Amino acid sequence: MGNKINRVVLVGTGAVGCSYAYSMINQGIAEELILIDVNASKAEGEAMDLNHGMPFAPAPTKVRSGTYQDCGQADLVVITAGLPQKPGETRLDLVDKNAKIFKSIVRDIMDSGFDGIFLIASNPVDILTYVTWKESGLPKERVIGSGTTLDTARLRYMVGDYLEVDTRNIHAAIIGEHGDTEFAVWSQASVGIETLAKVLDRRNNPEDKAKLDEIFVNVRDAAYHIIERKGATYYAIGMALTRITKAILSNENSILTVSSLLEGQYGHEDLYIGVPAVVNRGGIREVIEIDLNEEEKAKFDHSAKVLKELITKVYS
Ligand code: NAD
C-alpha cells in the first residue's frame, strides 16, 4: 500500500486468471500486473503474450511474471489458483483440495511482507476467502471474495434480456453462498428507478412469474450449463474481478455483492458469504444489511448454515 503506482499480483494464470489479466489490460486499470503460477513458464508466456497487445490498450500496464516476493510491494493480490470444478462436481466438492493449496499460497504471500488487499476467486470462494482471512491475519475488510458478483451479473443480464431493458438498469442481486444455495433477492429488485413488482404489475403478463423463476434457476446453474458445453467458465468472472479491482484501486465506494465477513449482520457471524457491500481503497467499507422477506431470510439462513458446516470441516 502507499505506492505511487497501482501494483496488482495475480496468483494463478489459468483460464480465469488470464481472462482477468486480459480484461485488466484492456481497461488500463493498474500500472503493474505481476503474474505468478506454480507453472512458472506458463506465467512467463502469458506475460509475454499480454504485453504484445499493449499498443492497442487504453493505457500502459507493465505485465511481467514474478515470484511471491513481489507481493511485498503489491496493493492487491488476486488469487485464481487452484483446481477447477470438473463436470458433475459441485464447488463445495473442491473444498479440501483447494483449502490445502490456499494455506500454502497465503503463507508464501504473507512471508513477503504483503500488507495490501486480497481478492479471492477460487472455489469454493466463500470458504477460501475465510481461509485467507484466517491464515493471513489481515483485517477482515482487506480480505474480499468475489462472492456472488458473477451470479448477480448473470441475473442482471438475463432479466434485462427478458424485459428488453439495458442490463445496467437492472438492479437486482443474488446473495448467499456462491453455489447451490444462493438466491435472488426479488423483493428488492428494481428496473431503473421503478420496483420490479411495479413493472410486472404494469406488464400484466401471466408468464412473467414462471419466467423469472426459470431465470433464477438458469443463473444458479449457469456454471454447470457452461462447464457441460465448454469445460470451464472464465470470461465473465474475469470481468467481474476487474470490476471489483477498479472499485478498490479507484476508491469508488461501489456496492457489489462480494464475499464479506459477517459479524452479526443478517443474524450470522464468523463466516464469509456474498452480501452487498461498499468497496473502496480500504477494501470492504461496510456490509449493507438489506431487508429480506421471510422466505429470503430462510434461504439466507440455509446458505449460511451450509457454509458454516464447511468452515467447521476445514478448521476441525
Ligand atoms: P485452471 O486450471 O485453468 O487454472 C488454475 C491455475 O492455478 C493453473 O494455471 C495452475 O497451474 C494454477 N495453480 C494450481 N495450484 C497452484 C499453486 N499452488 N500455486 C500457484 N498456482 C497454482 O482453472 P480456472 O478455470 O482458471 O479456475 C480457477 C479457479 O477459479 C477454480 O477454483 C474455479 O472453480 C474458480 N472460478 C471461480 C469463479 C467465481 O465466480 N468465483 C468462476 C469461475 C471459476
PDB file of all heavy atoms in Angstrom, residues 11-17 36-39 42 68 80-85 94 98 101 104-105 120-123 125 146-147 150-151 178 232-234 237, ligand 1:
ATOM      1  N   VAL A  11      -2.239 -14.492  -8.741  1.00  0.00           N
ATOM      2  CA  VAL A  11      -1.724 -15.838  -8.479  1.00  0.00           C
ATOM      3  C   VAL A  11      -2.668 -16.833  -9.145  1.00  0.00           C
ATOM      4  O   VAL A  11      -3.831 -16.946  -8.757  1.00  0.00           O
ATOM      5  CB  VAL A  11      -1.623 -16.122  -6.964  1.00  0.00           C
ATOM      6  CG1 VAL A  11      -1.066 -17.524  -6.725  1.00  0.00           C
ATOM      7  CG2 VAL A  11      -0.770 -15.072  -6.265  1.00  0.00           C
ATOM      8  N   GLY A  12      -2.165 -17.522 -10.153  1.00  0.00           N
ATOM      9  CA  GLY A  12      -2.995 -18.479 -10.908  1.00  0.00           C
ATOM     10  C   GLY A  12      -3.259 -17.949 -12.301  1.00  0.00           C
ATOM     11  O   GLY A  12      -4.156 -17.124 -12.507  1.00  0.00           O
ATOM     12  N   THR A  13      -2.464 -18.399 -13.261  1.00  0.00           N
ATOM     13  CA  THR A  13      -2.641 -17.898 -14.631  1.00  0.00           C
ATOM     14  C   THR A  13      -3.311 -18.973 -15.502  1.00  0.00           C
ATOM     15  O   THR A  13      -2.860 -19.281 -16.592  1.00  0.00           O
ATOM     16  CB  THR A  13      -1.306 -17.448 -15.260  1.00  0.00           C
ATOM     17  OG1 THR A  13      -0.394 -18.549 -15.219  1.00  0.00           O
ATOM     18  CG2 THR A  13      -0.727 -16.268 -14.534  1.00  0.00           C
ATOM     19  N   GLY A  14      -4.396 -19.533 -14.971  1.00  0.00           N
ATOM     20  CA  GLY A  14      -5.218 -20.448 -15.758  1.00  0.00           C
ATOM     21  C   GLY A  14      -6.240 -19.640 -16.540  1.00  0.00           C
ATOM     22  O   GLY A  14      -6.035 -18.447 -16.832  1.00  0.00           O
ATOM     23  N   ALA A  15      -7.355 -20.296 -16.850  1.00  0.00           N
ATOM     24  CA  ALA A  15      -8.371 -19.653 -17.685  1.00  0.00           C
ATOM     25  C   ALA A  15      -8.961 -18.409 -17.010  1.00  0.00           C
ATOM     26  O   ALA A  15      -9.109 -17.357 -17.642  1.00  0.00           O
ATOM     27  CB  ALA A  15      -9.474 -20.663 -17.999  1.00  0.00           C
ATOM     28  N   VAL A  16      -9.279 -18.523 -15.707  1.00  0.00           N
ATOM     29  CA  VAL A  16      -9.879 -17.385 -15.005  1.00  0.00           C
ATOM     30  C   VAL A  16      -8.854 -16.265 -14.834  1.00  0.00           C
ATOM     31  O   VAL A  16      -9.135 -15.088 -15.121  1.00  0.00           O
ATOM     32  CB  VAL A  16     -10.445 -17.828 -13.624  1.00  0.00           C
ATOM     33  CG1 VAL A  16     -10.876 -16.626 -12.792  1.00  0.00           C
ATOM     34  CG2 VAL A  16     -11.597 -18.798 -13.815  1.00  0.00           C
ATOM     35  N   GLY A  17      -7.660 -16.630 -14.385  1.00  0.00           N
ATOM     36  CA  GLY A  17      -6.611 -15.626 -14.163  1.00  0.00           C
ATOM     37  C   GLY A  17      -6.282 -14.863 -15.439  1.00  0.00           C
ATOM     38  O   GLY A  17      -6.156 -13.632 -15.434  1.00  0.00           O
ATOM     39  N   ILE A  36       1.888 -14.864 -11.293  1.00  0.00           N
ATOM     40  CA  ILE A  36       2.549 -15.988 -10.606  1.00  0.00           C
ATOM     41  C   ILE A  36       1.725 -17.251 -10.856  1.00  0.00           C
ATOM     42  O   ILE A  36       0.490 -17.207 -10.804  1.00  0.00           O
ATOM     43  CB  ILE A  36       2.624 -15.737  -9.073  1.00  0.00           C
ATOM     44  CG1 ILE A  36       3.434 -14.471  -8.759  1.00  0.00           C
ATOM     45  CG2 ILE A  36       3.210 -16.949  -8.344  1.00  0.00           C
ATOM     46  CD1 ILE A  36       3.480 -14.114  -7.274  1.00  0.00           C
ATOM     47  N   ASP A  37       2.405 -18.351 -11.103  1.00  0.00           N
ATOM     48  CA  ASP A  37       1.718 -19.642 -11.213  1.00  0.00           C
ATOM     49  C   ASP A  37       2.700 -20.717 -10.796  1.00  0.00           C
ATOM     50  O   ASP A  37       3.921 -20.535 -10.923  1.00  0.00           O
ATOM     51  CB  ASP A  37       1.240 -19.890 -12.656  1.00  0.00           C
ATOM     52  CG  ASP A  37       0.164 -20.960 -12.736  1.00  0.00           C
ATOM     53  OD1 ASP A  37       0.513 -22.168 -12.641  1.00  0.00           O
ATOM     54  OD2 ASP A  37      -1.022 -20.613 -12.884  1.00  0.00           O
ATOM     55  N   VAL A  38       2.169 -21.830 -10.300  1.00  0.00           N
ATOM     56  CA  VAL A  38       3.041 -22.957  -9.953  1.00  0.00           C
ATOM     57  C   VAL A  38       3.766 -23.413 -11.225  1.00  0.00           C
ATOM     58  O   VAL A  38       4.908 -23.888 -11.172  1.00  0.00           O
ATOM     59  CB  VAL A  38       2.215 -24.079  -9.267  1.00  0.00           C
ATOM     60  CG1 VAL A  38       1.281 -24.769 -10.238  1.00  0.00           C
ATOM     61  CG2 VAL A  38       3.074 -25.073  -8.545  1.00  0.00           C
ATOM     62  N   ASN A  39       3.131 -23.217 -12.346  1.00  0.00           N
ATOM     63  CA  ASN A  39       3.749 -23.456 -13.651  1.00  0.00           C
ATOM     64  C   ASN A  39       4.372 -22.121 -14.114  1.00  0.00           C
ATOM     65  O   ASN A  39       3.750 -21.328 -14.814  1.00  0.00           O
ATOM     66  CB  ASN A  39       2.657 -23.943 -14.624  1.00  0.00           C
ATOM     67  CG  ASN A  39       3.185 -24.220 -16.010  1.00  0.00           C
ATOM     68  OD1 ASN A  39       4.319 -23.862 -16.334  1.00  0.00           O
ATOM     69  ND2 ASN A  39       2.354 -24.850 -16.818  1.00  0.00           N
ATOM     70  N   LYS A  42       4.363 -21.033 -17.731  1.00  0.00           N
ATOM     71  CA  LYS A  42       3.064 -20.562 -18.263  1.00  0.00           C
ATOM     72  C   LYS A  42       2.871 -19.082 -17.910  1.00  0.00           C
ATOM     73  O   LYS A  42       2.489 -18.265 -18.745  1.00  0.00           O
ATOM     74  CB  LYS A  42       1.907 -21.400 -17.703  1.00  0.00           C
ATOM     75  CG  LYS A  42       0.548 -20.916 -18.188  1.00  0.00           C
ATOM     76  CD  LYS A  42      -0.495 -21.998 -18.160  1.00  0.00           C
ATOM     77  CE  LYS A  42      -1.800 -21.724 -18.865  1.00  0.00           C
ATOM     78  NZ  LYS A  42      -2.336 -20.399 -18.910  1.00  0.00           N
ATOM     79  N   TYR A  68       6.557 -14.941  -5.301  1.00  0.00           N
ATOM     80  CA  TYR A  68       5.808 -14.446  -4.135  1.00  0.00           C
ATOM     81  C   TYR A  68       6.488 -13.245  -3.480  1.00  0.00           C
ATOM     82  O   TYR A  68       5.834 -12.445  -2.826  1.00  0.00           O
ATOM     83  CB  TYR A  68       5.578 -15.583  -3.137  1.00  0.00           C
ATOM     84  CG  TYR A  68       4.502 -16.537  -3.634  1.00  0.00           C
ATOM     85  CD1 TYR A  68       4.814 -17.826  -4.046  1.00  0.00           C
ATOM     86  CD2 TYR A  68       3.181 -16.119  -3.732  1.00  0.00           C
ATOM     87  CE1 TYR A  68       3.833 -18.676  -4.534  1.00  0.00           C
ATOM     88  CE2 TYR A  68       2.191 -16.956  -4.223  1.00  0.00           C
ATOM     89  CZ  TYR A  68       2.525 -18.232  -4.623  1.00  0.00           C
ATOM     90  OH  TYR A  68       1.543 -19.061  -5.107  1.00  0.00           O
ATOM     91  N   THR A  80      -6.583 -16.720  -8.192  1.00  0.00           N
ATOM     92  CA  THR A  80      -7.457 -17.541  -9.044  1.00  0.00           C
ATOM     93  C   THR A  80      -6.805 -18.911  -9.234  1.00  0.00           C
ATOM     94  O   THR A  80      -7.113 -19.618 -10.189  1.00  0.00           O
ATOM     95  CB  THR A  80      -7.676 -16.873 -10.426  1.00  0.00           C
ATOM     96  OG1 THR A  80      -6.416 -16.813 -11.093  1.00  0.00           O
ATOM     97  CG2 THR A  80      -8.243 -15.488 -10.321  1.00  0.00           C
ATOM     98  N   ALA A  81      -5.891 -19.258  -8.332  1.00  0.00           N
ATOM     99  CA  ALA A  81      -5.186 -20.544  -8.451  1.00  0.00           C
ATOM    100  C   ALA A  81      -6.043 -21.651  -7.873  1.00  0.00           C
ATOM    101  O   ALA A  81      -6.911 -21.409  -7.047  1.00  0.00           O
ATOM    102  CB  ALA A  81      -3.868 -20.471  -7.691  1.00  0.00           C
ATOM    103  N   GLY A  82      -5.759 -22.843  -8.305  1.00  0.00           N
ATOM    104  CA  GLY A  82      -6.440 -23.982  -7.712  1.00  0.00           C
ATOM    105  C   GLY A  82      -7.019 -24.872  -8.762  1.00  0.00           C
ATOM    106  O   GLY A  82      -6.884 -24.629  -9.953  1.00  0.00           O
ATOM    107  N   LEU A  83      -7.673 -25.896  -8.265  1.00  0.00           N
ATOM    108  CA  LEU A  83      -8.256 -26.854  -9.195  1.00  0.00           C
ATOM    109  C   LEU A  83      -9.643 -26.370  -9.577  1.00  0.00           C
ATOM    110  O   LEU A  83     -10.396 -25.922  -8.720  1.00  0.00           O
ATOM    111  CB  LEU A  83      -8.334 -28.221  -8.515  1.00  0.00           C
ATOM    112  CG  LEU A  83      -6.976 -28.726  -8.015  1.00  0.00           C
ATOM    113  CD1 LEU A  83      -7.146 -29.906  -7.069  1.00  0.00           C
ATOM    114  CD2 LEU A  83      -6.091 -29.106  -9.197  1.00  0.00           C
ATOM    115  N   PRO A  84     -10.004 -26.441 -10.852  1.00  0.00           N
ATOM    116  CA  PRO A  84     -11.348 -26.015 -11.245  1.00  0.00           C
ATOM    117  C   PRO A  84     -12.374 -27.125 -11.011  1.00  0.00           C
ATOM    118  O   PRO A  84     -12.013 -28.272 -10.760  1.00  0.00           O
ATOM    119  CB  PRO A  84     -11.198 -25.719 -12.733  1.00  0.00           C
ATOM    120  CG  PRO A  84     -10.069 -26.573 -13.187  1.00  0.00           C
ATOM    121  CD  PRO A  84      -9.193 -26.871 -11.992  1.00  0.00           C
ATOM    122  N   GLN A  85     -13.650 -26.755 -11.112  1.00  0.00           N
ATOM    123  CA  GLN A  85     -14.750 -27.716 -10.978  1.00  0.00           C
ATOM    124  C   GLN A  85     -14.731 -28.673 -12.172  1.00  0.00           C
ATOM    125  O   GLN A  85     -14.629 -28.221 -13.314  1.00  0.00           O
ATOM    126  CB  GLN A  85     -16.043 -26.918 -11.088  1.00  0.00           C
ATOM    127  CG  GLN A  85     -17.044 -27.106 -10.002  1.00  0.00           C
ATOM    128  CD  GLN A  85     -18.161 -26.072 -10.168  1.00  0.00           C
ATOM    129  OE1 GLN A  85     -17.931 -24.877 -10.343  1.00  0.00           O
ATOM    130  NE2 GLN A  85     -19.375 -26.535 -10.113  1.00  0.00           N
ATOM    131  N   LEU A  94     -14.794 -29.215  -3.996  1.00  0.00           N
ATOM    132  CA  LEU A  94     -13.409 -28.784  -4.177  1.00  0.00           C
ATOM    133  C   LEU A  94     -12.745 -28.360  -2.867  1.00  0.00           C
ATOM    134  O   LEU A  94     -11.551 -28.109  -2.836  1.00  0.00           O
ATOM    135  CB  LEU A  94     -13.366 -27.554  -5.096  1.00  0.00           C
ATOM    136  CG  LEU A  94     -13.560 -27.722  -6.583  1.00  0.00           C
ATOM    137  CD1 LEU A  94     -13.544 -26.353  -7.251  1.00  0.00           C
ATOM    138  CD2 LEU A  94     -12.445 -28.575  -7.152  1.00  0.00           C
ATOM    139  N   ASN A  98      -8.647 -27.473  -2.445  1.00  0.00           N
ATOM    140  CA  ASN A  98      -8.238 -26.075  -2.602  1.00  0.00           C
ATOM    141  C   ASN A  98      -7.878 -25.394  -1.276  1.00  0.00           C
ATOM    142  O   ASN A  98      -7.046 -24.487  -1.266  1.00  0.00           O
ATOM    143  CB  ASN A  98      -9.299 -25.298  -3.378  1.00  0.00           C
ATOM    144  CG  ASN A  98      -9.157 -25.525  -4.879  1.00  0.00           C
ATOM    145  OD1 ASN A  98      -8.140 -26.010  -5.347  1.00  0.00           O
ATOM    146  ND2 ASN A  98     -10.171 -25.177  -5.649  1.00  0.00           N
ATOM    147  N   ILE A 101      -4.185 -26.077  -0.784  1.00  0.00           N
ATOM    148  CA  ILE A 101      -3.384 -25.248  -1.697  1.00  0.00           C
ATOM    149  C   ILE A 101      -3.340 -23.814  -1.165  1.00  0.00           C
ATOM    150  O   ILE A 101      -2.303 -23.156  -1.130  1.00  0.00           O
ATOM    151  CB  ILE A 101      -3.992 -25.275  -3.125  1.00  0.00           C
ATOM    152  CG1 ILE A 101      -3.880 -26.674  -3.723  1.00  0.00           C
ATOM    153  CG2 ILE A 101      -3.339 -24.241  -4.031  1.00  0.00           C
ATOM    154  CD1 ILE A 101      -4.521 -26.830  -5.105  1.00  0.00           C
ATOM    155  N   SER A 104      -1.028 -22.870   1.846  1.00  0.00           N
ATOM    156  CA  SER A 104       0.387 -22.718   1.481  1.00  0.00           C
ATOM    157  C   SER A 104       0.626 -21.436   0.671  1.00  0.00           C
ATOM    158  O   SER A 104       1.606 -20.721   0.906  1.00  0.00           O
ATOM    159  CB  SER A 104       0.845 -24.008   0.783  1.00  0.00           C
ATOM    160  OG  SER A 104       1.414 -23.745  -0.452  1.00  0.00           O
ATOM    161  N   ILE A 105      -0.290 -21.105  -0.233  1.00  0.00           N
ATOM    162  CA  ILE A 105      -0.122 -19.871  -1.030  1.00  0.00           C
ATOM    163  C   ILE A 105      -0.153 -18.631  -0.116  1.00  0.00           C
ATOM    164  O   ILE A 105       0.686 -17.738  -0.224  1.00  0.00           O
ATOM    165  CB  ILE A 105      -1.235 -19.759  -2.107  1.00  0.00           C
ATOM    166  CG1 ILE A 105      -1.060 -20.839  -3.185  1.00  0.00           C
ATOM    167  CG2 ILE A 105      -1.250 -18.377  -2.738  1.00  0.00           C
ATOM    168  CD1 ILE A 105      -2.163 -20.849  -4.254  1.00  0.00           C
ATOM    169  N   ILE A 120     -10.191 -12.857  -3.682  1.00  0.00           N
ATOM    170  CA  ILE A 120     -10.168 -14.306  -3.942  1.00  0.00           C
ATOM    171  C   ILE A 120     -11.285 -14.697  -4.910  1.00  0.00           C
ATOM    172  O   ILE A 120     -12.434 -14.249  -4.753  1.00  0.00           O
ATOM    173  CB  ILE A 120     -10.394 -15.090  -2.609  1.00  0.00           C
ATOM    174  CG1 ILE A 120      -9.466 -14.578  -1.501  1.00  0.00           C
ATOM    175  CG2 ILE A 120     -10.255 -16.599  -2.828  1.00  0.00           C
ATOM    176  CD1 ILE A 120      -8.004 -14.613  -1.794  1.00  0.00           C
ATOM    177  N   ALA A 121     -10.931 -15.564  -5.874  1.00  0.00           N
ATOM    178  CA  ALA A 121     -11.958 -16.051  -6.806  1.00  0.00           C
ATOM    179  C   ALA A 121     -12.056 -17.569  -6.823  1.00  0.00           C
ATOM    180  O   ALA A 121     -13.069 -18.119  -7.262  1.00  0.00           O
ATOM    181  CB  ALA A 121     -11.660 -15.558  -8.216  1.00  0.00           C
ATOM    182  N   SER A 122     -11.009 -18.264  -6.382  1.00  0.00           N
ATOM    183  CA  SER A 122     -11.003 -19.733  -6.469  1.00  0.00           C
ATOM    184  C   SER A 122     -12.145 -20.314  -5.635  1.00  0.00           C
ATOM    185  O   SER A 122     -12.511 -19.765  -4.599  1.00  0.00           O
ATOM    186  CB  SER A 122      -9.678 -20.290  -5.953  1.00  0.00           C
ATOM    187  OG  SER A 122      -8.608 -19.577  -6.506  1.00  0.00           O
ATOM    188  N   ASN A 123     -12.653 -21.437  -6.079  1.00  0.00           N
ATOM    189  CA  ASN A 123     -13.796 -22.071  -5.415  1.00  0.00           C
ATOM    190  C   ASN A 123     -13.398 -23.201  -4.478  1.00  0.00           C
ATOM    191  O   ASN A 123     -12.393 -23.860  -4.719  1.00  0.00           O
ATOM    192  CB  ASN A 123     -14.748 -22.627  -6.481  1.00  0.00           C
ATOM    193  CG  ASN A 123     -15.643 -21.551  -7.032  1.00  0.00           C
ATOM    194  OD1 ASN A 123     -16.154 -20.732  -6.282  1.00  0.00           O
ATOM    195  ND2 ASN A 123     -15.843 -21.547  -8.346  1.00  0.00           N
ATOM    196  N   VAL A 125     -15.449 -20.259  -3.176  1.00  0.00           N
ATOM    197  CA  VAL A 125     -14.865 -18.943  -2.918  1.00  0.00           C
ATOM    198  C   VAL A 125     -15.142 -18.434  -1.495  1.00  0.00           C
ATOM    199  O   VAL A 125     -14.264 -17.819  -0.883  1.00  0.00           O
ATOM    200  CB  VAL A 125     -15.301 -17.928  -3.999  1.00  0.00           C
ATOM    201  CG1 VAL A 125     -16.769 -17.596  -3.925  1.00  0.00           C
ATOM    202  CG2 VAL A 125     -14.468 -16.659  -3.913  1.00  0.00           C
ATOM    203  N   SER A 146     -14.860 -12.851  -4.380  1.00  0.00           N
ATOM    204  CA  SER A 146     -15.721 -12.390  -5.489  1.00  0.00           C
ATOM    205  C   SER A 146     -17.181 -12.684  -5.189  1.00  0.00           C
ATOM    206  O   SER A 146     -18.078 -12.051  -5.760  1.00  0.00           O
ATOM    207  CB  SER A 146     -15.294 -13.028  -6.810  1.00  0.00           C
ATOM    208  OG  SER A 146     -15.327 -14.429  -6.709  1.00  0.00           O
ATOM    209  N   GLY A 147     -17.442 -13.620  -4.265  1.00  0.00           N
ATOM    210  CA  GLY A 147     -18.802 -13.854  -3.774  1.00  0.00           C
ATOM    211  C   GLY A 147     -19.800 -14.111  -4.887  1.00  0.00           C
ATOM    212  O   GLY A 147     -19.563 -14.928  -5.787  1.00  0.00           O
ATOM    213  N   LEU A 150     -20.464 -12.418  -9.793  1.00  0.00           N
ATOM    214  CA  LEU A 150     -20.716 -13.005 -11.110  1.00  0.00           C
ATOM    215  C   LEU A 150     -22.174 -13.442 -11.233  1.00  0.00           C
ATOM    216  O   LEU A 150     -22.823 -13.200 -12.261  1.00  0.00           O
ATOM    217  CB  LEU A 150     -19.780 -14.212 -11.311  1.00  0.00           C
ATOM    218  CG  LEU A 150     -20.055 -15.086 -12.529  1.00  0.00           C
ATOM    219  CD1 LEU A 150     -19.920 -14.292 -13.821  1.00  0.00           C
ATOM    220  CD2 LEU A 150     -19.100 -16.284 -12.544  1.00  0.00           C
ATOM    221  N   ASP A 151     -22.703 -14.050 -10.181  1.00  0.00           N
ATOM    222  CA  ASP A 151     -24.092 -14.533 -10.203  1.00  0.00           C
ATOM    223  C   ASP A 151     -25.055 -13.355 -10.356  1.00  0.00           C
ATOM    224  O   ASP A 151     -26.052 -13.428 -11.077  1.00  0.00           O
ATOM    225  CB  ASP A 151     -24.399 -15.287  -8.911  1.00  0.00           C
ATOM    226  CG  ASP A 151     -23.222 -16.155  -8.494  1.00  0.00           C
ATOM    227  OD1 ASP A 151     -22.175 -15.581  -8.110  1.00  0.00           O
ATOM    228  OD2 ASP A 151     -23.319 -17.380  -8.580  1.00  0.00           O
ATOM    229  N   HIS A 178     -21.771 -18.523  -2.994  1.00  0.00           N
ATOM    230  CA  HIS A 178     -21.574 -18.621  -4.448  1.00  0.00           C
ATOM    231  C   HIS A 178     -21.667 -20.116  -4.750  1.00  0.00           C
ATOM    232  O   HIS A 178     -20.679 -20.843  -4.675  1.00  0.00           O
ATOM    233  CB  HIS A 178     -20.205 -18.058  -4.837  1.00  0.00           C
ATOM    234  CG  HIS A 178     -19.834 -18.346  -6.265  1.00  0.00           C
ATOM    235  ND1 HIS A 178     -20.576 -17.931  -7.333  1.00  0.00           N
ATOM    236  CD2 HIS A 178     -18.784 -19.039  -6.794  1.00  0.00           C
ATOM    237  CE1 HIS A 178     -20.010 -18.340  -8.454  1.00  0.00           C
ATOM    238  NE2 HIS A 178     -18.922 -19.021  -8.149  1.00  0.00           N
ATOM    239  N   ALA A 232     -15.300 -25.044 -18.771  1.00  0.00           N
ATOM    240  CA  ALA A 232     -14.994 -24.105 -17.674  1.00  0.00           C
ATOM    241  C   ALA A 232     -15.668 -22.773 -17.960  1.00  0.00           C
ATOM    242  O   ALA A 232     -16.075 -22.501 -19.098  1.00  0.00           O
ATOM    243  CB  ALA A 232     -13.488 -23.896 -17.568  1.00  0.00           C
ATOM    244  N   THR A 233     -15.783 -21.925 -16.929  1.00  0.00           N
ATOM    245  CA  THR A 233     -16.290 -20.559 -17.139  1.00  0.00           C
ATOM    246  C   THR A 233     -15.169 -19.597 -16.784  1.00  0.00           C
ATOM    247  O   THR A 233     -14.482 -19.802 -15.781  1.00  0.00           O
ATOM    248  CB  THR A 233     -17.516 -20.250 -16.244  1.00  0.00           C
ATOM    249  OG1 THR A 233     -17.067 -19.979 -14.911  1.00  0.00           O
ATOM    250  CG2 THR A 233     -18.501 -21.400 -16.212  1.00  0.00           C
ATOM    251  N   TYR A 234     -14.951 -18.603 -17.601  1.00  0.00           N
ATOM    252  CA  TYR A 234     -13.842 -17.684 -17.262  1.00  0.00           C
ATOM    253  C   TYR A 234     -13.989 -16.236 -17.735  1.00  0.00           C
ATOM    254  O   TYR A 234     -13.554 -15.332 -17.051  1.00  0.00           O
ATOM    255  CB  TYR A 234     -12.492 -18.239 -17.743  1.00  0.00           C
ATOM    256  CG  TYR A 234     -12.512 -19.005 -19.042  1.00  0.00           C
ATOM    257  CD1 TYR A 234     -12.357 -18.361 -20.249  1.00  0.00           C
ATOM    258  CD2 TYR A 234     -12.697 -20.394 -19.042  1.00  0.00           C
ATOM    259  CE1 TYR A 234     -12.370 -19.076 -21.444  1.00  0.00           C
ATOM    260  CE2 TYR A 234     -12.717 -21.118 -20.232  1.00  0.00           C
ATOM    261  CZ  TYR A 234     -12.562 -20.458 -21.436  1.00  0.00           C
ATOM    262  OH  TYR A 234     -12.584 -21.148 -22.604  1.00  0.00           O
ATOM    263  N   ILE A 237     -16.246 -14.053 -15.198  1.00  0.00           N
ATOM    264  CA  ILE A 237     -15.614 -13.884 -13.878  1.00  0.00           C
ATOM    265  C   ILE A 237     -14.380 -12.984 -14.013  1.00  0.00           C
ATOM    266  O   ILE A 237     -14.084 -12.180 -13.124  1.00  0.00           O
ATOM    267  CB  ILE A 237     -15.281 -15.246 -13.191  1.00  0.00           C
ATOM    268  CG1 ILE A 237     -14.611 -15.034 -11.817  1.00  0.00           C
ATOM    269  CG2 ILE A 237     -14.428 -16.141 -14.056  1.00  0.00           C
ATOM    270  CD1 ILE A 237     -15.443 -14.340 -10.791  1.00  0.00           C
TER     271      ILE A 237
HETATM  272  P1  NAD B   1      -7.287 -23.546 -14.392  1.00  0.00           P
HETATM  273  O1  NAD B   1      -6.992 -24.972 -14.088  1.00  0.00           O
HETATM  274  O2  NAD B   1      -7.412 -23.092 -15.801  1.00  0.00           O
HETATM  275  O3  NAD B   1      -6.190 -22.624 -13.691  1.00  0.00           O
HETATM  276  C1  NAD B   1      -5.744 -22.803 -12.389  1.00  0.00           C
HETATM  277  C2  NAD B   1      -4.311 -22.340 -12.349  1.00  0.00           C
HETATM  278  O4  NAD B   1      -3.880 -22.411 -10.982  1.00  0.00           O
HETATM  279  C3  NAD B   1      -3.372 -23.202 -13.202  1.00  0.00           C
HETATM  280  O5  NAD B   1      -2.636 -22.368 -14.077  1.00  0.00           O
HETATM  281  C4  NAD B   1      -2.489 -23.887 -12.155  1.00  0.00           C
HETATM  282  O6  NAD B   1      -1.176 -24.118 -12.625  1.00  0.00           O
HETATM  283  C5  NAD B   1      -2.527 -22.862 -11.041  1.00  0.00           C
HETATM  284  N1  NAD B   1      -2.179 -23.427  -9.731  1.00  0.00           N
HETATM  285  C6  NAD B   1      -2.572 -24.603  -9.177  1.00  0.00           C
HETATM  286  N2  NAD B   1      -2.005 -24.749  -7.966  1.00  0.00           N
HETATM  287  C7  NAD B   1      -1.254 -23.648  -7.747  1.00  0.00           C
HETATM  288  C8  NAD B   1      -0.427 -23.221  -6.684  1.00  0.00           C
HETATM  289  N3  NAD B   1      -0.259 -23.974  -5.586  1.00  0.00           N
HETATM  290  N4  NAD B   1       0.198 -22.037  -6.802  1.00  0.00           N
HETATM  291  C9  NAD B   1       0.051 -21.269  -7.909  1.00  0.00           C
HETATM  292  N5  NAD B   1      -0.718 -21.624  -8.937  1.00  0.00           N
HETATM  293  C10 NAD B   1      -1.363 -22.800  -8.864  1.00  0.00           C
HETATM  294  O7  NAD B   1      -8.632 -23.194 -13.574  1.00  0.00           O
HETATM  295  P2  NAD B   1      -9.587 -21.935 -13.839  1.00  0.00           P
HETATM  296  O8  NAD B   1     -10.665 -22.344 -14.780  1.00  0.00           O
HETATM  297  O9  NAD B   1      -8.749 -20.765 -14.114  1.00  0.00           O
HETATM  298  O10 NAD B   1     -10.276 -21.798 -12.411  1.00  0.00           O
HETATM  299  C11 NAD B   1      -9.540 -21.298 -11.310  1.00  0.00           C
HETATM  300  C12 NAD B   1     -10.428 -21.213 -10.075  1.00  0.00           C
HETATM  301  O11 NAD B   1     -11.439 -20.216 -10.280  1.00  0.00           O
HETATM  302  C13 NAD B   1     -11.191 -22.515  -9.765  1.00  0.00           C
HETATM  303  O12 NAD B   1     -11.182 -22.730  -8.385  1.00  0.00           O
HETATM  304  C14 NAD B   1     -12.597 -22.223 -10.255  1.00  0.00           C
HETATM  305  O13 NAD B   1     -13.574 -23.013  -9.613  1.00  0.00           O
HETATM  306  C15 NAD B   1     -12.700 -20.745  -9.877  1.00  0.00           C
HETATM  307  N6  NAD B   1     -13.790 -19.990 -10.512  1.00  0.00           N
HETATM  308  C16 NAD B   1     -14.427 -19.089  -9.729  1.00  0.00           C
HETATM  309  C17 NAD B   1     -15.478 -18.346 -10.221  1.00  0.00           C
HETATM  310  C18 NAD B   1     -16.169 -17.368  -9.298  1.00  0.00           C
HETATM  311  O14 NAD B   1     -17.246 -16.833  -9.617  1.00  0.00           O
HETATM  312  N7  NAD B   1     -15.601 -17.086  -8.145  1.00  0.00           N
HETATM  313  C19 NAD B   1     -15.883 -18.507 -11.551  1.00  0.00           C
HETATM  314  C20 NAD B   1     -15.193 -19.419 -12.346  1.00  0.00           C
HETATM  315  C21 NAD B   1     -14.148 -20.181 -11.815  1.00  0.00           C
END
